[in-house]
Amino acid sequence: MKHLTPLVLLACGSFNPITNMHMRLFELARDHLHQTGKYRVIGGIISPVSDDYGKQGLAAAKHRIKMAQFALETSEWIRVDPWESEQGQWSETVTVLRYEDLGYENLAPCPLEERTQTPEMPADFNGYWKMLSNDNFEEYLKALDVNIALRKIANMLKPDKEIIQDGDHMIIKTLSTFKNYIMDFDIGKEFEEDLTGLDDRKCMTCVTWDGDKLLCVQKGEKEGRGWTQWVEGDEMHLEIRACGVKCKQVFKKVQ
C-alpha cells in the first residue's frame, strides 16, 4: 500500500457555543481526505478565539473552552486547545497554525515516525466470516426508507461474508438465502455502487484505509452513509451508518 500523508485538521473560530455542525465538519473533512487515498487524518484541533476578538455577545473564553471540552469528551481524535483563547490579543490564523505545527506531534501517544509509516497490508480480511450478531439493523433499514415487507425478510436473515483481499483490490461477498451481494473494488478509487435489492439506490462509493480499519463513504441521496470494518482476533466487526443511525454487526472467522 502506498504512503499516506498524515494531516491534522485545525478549526479557528469563536465557538460561541460549539455546535453539532462544528464537529460534523471535522468528520466530513476527514472522510473526504481519506477518500482521496492520499492522506491519513491523525487528529483534529478546535481553537477558540480570545476574549479580545471583539464579537458582540461573545461568552468568556473559559466558558467556551469548557463547553467545547464537554462536547468533545467522547471524541478519540479531536481535542480543544486553549492557547489561542489565552492570548492577550486576537491571533491571526497563520499564527495559530505556526504554534500548532510546533506541537502537533503530541496528538498521539506514539512517535511521529511511527504514525507516518503505513504497513503494506494494515489488516487481513481474507476468508469466510459467519454472522454472530446484527444489532439495530431494523432502525438502519428504516433510515434508508426500506419498506416493511423487505425489512421483515432482512431481519430474519443472517448473511455471511466471503472476502478476497489481494493488495489494494478487494472482493466482498455478502451471502444469504434471499440475495447475494458482491462489492468488487480497489481501495482508494471511487466507483458507482448499485444497491438494488436493499434500498434500490446508487451511490458513489470509496473505500480507504483508516489505520487498520476499512472506511467506506457512500455519497448519494442519504446523508452520512457508509461503514467501517475491522478485525479483532478471529472476529470481524462492521459498523454501518446512514442518516445518523448506526448498526453493529459481528462475524466470526470460519477456519
Side-chain angles (χ1 to χ4, degrees), residues 48-102:
V49 299
S50 72
D51 291 339
D52 290 335
Y53 181 61
K55 181 178 180 179
Q56 185 175 6
L58 188 67
K62 64 179 181 181
H63 298 312
R64 289 182 285 116
I65 291 292
K66 184 60 69 175
M67 285 187 288
Q69 288 172 337
F70 279 137
L72 295 170
E73 61 183 358
T74 60
S75 177
E76 298 179 349
W77 66 284
I78 309 173
R79 66 179 176 89
V80 183
D81 191 332
W83 180 83
E84 183 182 356
S85 70
E86 295 168 350
Q87 304 311 298
Q89 58 186 6
W90 171 71
S91 301
E92 294 183 347
T93 300
V94 67
T95 302
V96 183
L97 282 167
R98 287 170 180 158
Y99 166 78
E100 297 294 354
D101 185 53
L102 293 173

Side-chain angles (χ1 to χ4, degrees), residues 12 32 43 71 73 81 84 126 135-136 154 168 204 211 228 249 251:
C12 300
H32 171 73
E73 61 183 358
D81 191 332
E84 183 182 356
N126 270 304
D135 298 330
N136 209 39
D168 281 346
M204 292 307 298
T228 303
Q249 299 178 344
F251 300 80

Side-chain angles (χ1 to χ4, degrees), residues 25 35 63-64 75-76 115 117 131 142-143 148-149 180 200-201 213:
L25 285 173
Q35 185 178 320
H63 298 312
R64 289 182 285 116
S75 177
E76 298 179 349
R115 286 185 278 128
Q117 299 296 319
M131 177 176 278
K142 286 181 180 178
I148 187 170
N180 295 333
D200 298 326
R201 293 187 173 94
K213 298 180 179 181

Side-chain angles (χ1 to χ4, degrees), residues 2 20 28-29 36 47 50 74 82 92-93 104 108 111 132 141 158 161 168 170 174-176 182-183 202 213 218:
K2 60 187 177 182
N20 287 333
L28 291 171
T36 67
S47 180
S50 72
T74 60
E92 294 183 347
T93 300
Y104 84 98
L132 297 178
L141 294 176
K158 294 188 69 175
K161 299 275 187 183
D168 281 346
M170 296 193 74
T174 303
L175 309 171
S176 73
I182 299 176
M183 284 185 70
K202 290 184 178 181
K213 298 180 179 181
Q218 297 167 310

Side-chain angles (χ1 to χ4, degrees), residues 12-25:
C12 300
S14 60
F15 299 100
N16 188 47
I18 192 170
T19 67
N20 287 333
M21 196 58 203
H22 285 135
M23 296 180 284
R24 179 66 180 141
L25 285 173

